[in-house]
DNA sequence: GAGGATTCAATTGCGAACAATTAAATGTGA
DNA sequence: TCACATTTAATTGTTCGCAATTGAATCCTC
């Protein structure tokens, strides 16, 4: 095996790796966009964008929470959430009030319309399930794998 | 089983579904962001953002291509690509020239610096692999599943 | 060849996403 | 108590991502 062969093999390995990481990260990236596009017409009827829908999902599970709490649940920071929450407030779906106990904290609570929207939103999941053309079991298994990957990535970030 | 029981069960099923679809789509969404954050410090050294890195990866595989071609490979449209490509041109990594055969078409070609950046980029994949804390085989298997899901979603969009 | 449809990139406007900074409130240690 | 650090949202500036529109070039049909 001469030096030329070694060089060629090294290039090939690097190229493969470059392609591999491209495909995995790009797969997640492009699938997120594909989901977004499938959600769009469904969420248009609710008057929500996908990130706004995520915030509403979080609030339907537990509201009257600080912005920081929402950020930790959704992996988003105040730079993203503050303007988004102001738009939800303008749409009269949430109310933002400063905590009396700690004036640094802004508490996000659902309005009656915000609570009511939950009923409309119940039509969304089955449409997504249909579009994915997967069984619930398959999706759950994939979800667990993806979440495990995400958590490992976030663990590295936390170091 | 009285009517009250039926109602309660229906609500529970809808809630489960809402929660399920949330987790799957959100898993992909939040993992894409986690990847982005892991890539950021690595790509900063190359002077690229993650979407710019994707464009460069595509061009390293095949350049001298129309904007439309890049868009199809990356699932992005001209509204996203045009300003991004202008920034890459300002960074002298690509050159944009109007095709002489068809003046509607803008061809994207790598500059010598654009080609050269590929060598630096070879250091990126191994860092991502390490951060993911997965084997190559695991990542490849996940990638295939995710791509299959993406393609099914995109198929629904194409109808 | 002329008229109309189609294709392609660019543009505009809006909503994320995030880094970095700011400002105010709170907590802590000497 | 007072200085200093920390916490929490908000703000600013840059970059995506996409819908909708525009304008130019090309294609197609008659």
């Amino acid at each position: 095996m001469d030096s030329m062969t070694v060089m060629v093999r090294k290039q090939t390995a690097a190229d493969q790796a470059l392609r591999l990481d491209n495909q995995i990260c790009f797969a997640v990236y492009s699938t997120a966009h594909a989901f977004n596009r499938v959600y769009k017409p469904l969420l248009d009827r609710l008057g929500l964008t996908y990130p706004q829908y995520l915030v509403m999902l979080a609030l339907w599970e537990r509201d009257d929470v600080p912005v920081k709490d929402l950020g930790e649940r959704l992996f988003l920071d105040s730079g993203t959430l503050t303007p988004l929450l102001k738009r939800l407030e303008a749409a009269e779906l949430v109310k933002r009030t400063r905590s009396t106990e700690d004036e640094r904290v802004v508490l996000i609570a659902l309005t009656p319309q915000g609570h009511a929207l939950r009923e409309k939103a119940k039509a969304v999941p089955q449409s997504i399930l249909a579009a994915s053309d997967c069984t619930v079991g398959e999706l759950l298994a994939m979800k667990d794998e993806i979440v495990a990957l995400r958590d490992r990535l976030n663990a590295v970030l936390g170091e």
Side-chain angles (χ1 to χ4, degrees), chain A:
Chain A
M1 189 160 66
D2 60 16
S3 62
M4 185 59 178
T5 304
V6 170
M7 194 194 75
V8 169
R9 287 200 178 163
K10 273 185 185 170
Q11 283 186 343
T12 301
D15 293 348
Q16 288 280 12
L18 201 57
R19 204 172 298 132
L20 169 66
D21 108 286
N22 170 20
Q23 290 177 353
I24 291 164
C25 306
F26 177 57
V28 174
Y29 169 90
S30 54
T31 304
H33 291 313
F35 265 123
N36 211 325
R37 288 189 280 262
V38 171
Y39 268 105
K40 180 140 201 331
L42 302 172
L43 296 183
D44 277 350
R45 286 180 239 160
L46 306 186
L48 295 175
T49 65
Y50 181 67
Q52 288 169 7
Y53 174 68
L54 287 181
V55 168
M56 293 302 288
L57 285 178
L59 290 173
W60 287 327
E61 289 186 12
R62 188 173 76 246
D63 74 328
D64 236 330
V65 291
V67 173
K68 183 180 176 56
D69 184 279
L70 274 178
E72 282 168 0
R73 285 198 269 163
L74 299 171
F75 305 97
L76 297 173
D77 68 1
S78 71
T80 301
L81 288 174
T82 295
L84 189 156
L85 290 168
K86 284 183 176 177
R87 282 186 280 272
L88 289 181
E89 188 176 43
E92 298 185 345
L93 295 173
V94 308
K95 201 164 71 173
R96 306 181 323 125
T97 51
R98 222 160 253 284
S99 167
T100 51
E101 292 172 16
D102 185 340
E103 299 239 341
R104 294 170 301 184
V105 171
V106 169
L107 294 171
I108 309 299
L110 291 166
T111 63
Q113 296 100 305
H115 280 292
L117 195 65
R118 191 174 196 279
E119 295 309 308
K120 272 199 191 177
K122 285 186 180 175
V124 172
Q126 64 192 28
S127 302
I128 298 297
L129 184 63
S132 77
D133 197 22
C134 287
T135 67
V136 172
E138 286 171 332
L139 287 179
L140 273 177
M142 278 192 67
K143 183 218 61 167
D144 288 341
E145 286 183 60
I146 298 169
V147 165
L149 173 58
R150 179 194 70 196
D151 291 346
R152 282 195 291 272
L153 291 172
N154 280 333
V156 170
L157 287 168
E159 287 169 5

